[in-house]
Amino acid sequence: MKEVTNIQELDQFLQENPEAILFKHSTTCPISTQAHDEFMKYADSGAAKPWAMVIVQTARPVSNEIAERFGIKHESPQVLYVKNGTVAWHTSHWNITQDNLSKNAV
């Protein structure tokens, strides 16, 4: 797992991985805890694209940059599937499931 803590790390991660998943996670939200569990099932399945996590409490500027850069309203938890510099798919909250990720982050 790669945790992105600043905008430079975000830029580097996306440059190195033109197809990647960004997972915005809140460490204080029970919905985000459930989404994290589902996301980790997906990540551990072996089907996952390169991915990085943004902890919104400690990396708010990164979370805000992602929302601004891609034009996707911030939510937490939130998953964005980035392909060649644009968001190909995104979802949030209870829709973050292993099944949804496996079907849509392809």
Side-chain angles (χ1 to χ4, degrees):
M1 174 200 67
K2 166 80 174 154
E3 183 178 340
V4 175
T5 60
N6 60 57
I7 293 171
Q8 293 79 17
E9 289 177 351
L10 174 66
D11 290 339
Q12 182 178 354
F13 175 75
L14 292 173
Q15 184 176 27
E16 292 172 358
N17 301 286
E19 207 173 337
I21 297 173
L22 299 172
F23 175 50
K24 291 184 180 183
H25 176 53
S26 168
T27 57
T28 59
C29 171
I31 296 170
S32 197
T33 299
Q34 177 65 33
H36 180 270
D37 292 346
E38 287 291 316
F39 186 86
M40 293 310 297
K41 287 180 201 173
Y42 166 72
D44 291 341
S45 74
K49 304 282 187 238
W51 61 277
M53 184 179 304
V54 177
I55 307 294
V56 296
Q57 287 88 347
T58 58
R60 179 63 70 178
V62 177
S63 180
N64 292 342
E65 173 65 20
I66 290 168
E68 186 175 313
R69 183 180 298 189
F70 296 113
I72 305 291
K73 178 184 164 216
H74 165 77
E75 297 189 70
S76 175
Q78 185 175 44
V79 170
L80 299 97
Y81 169 42
V82 180
K83 189 173 183 178
N84 300 319
T86 62
V87 174
W89 177 78
H90 66 94
T91 195
S92 66
H93 295 87
W94 296 114
N95 291 321
I96 299 172
T97 64
Q98 180 182 7
D99 188 50
N100 274 347
L101 289 159
S102 296
K103 289 179 183 173
N104 295 292
V106 295

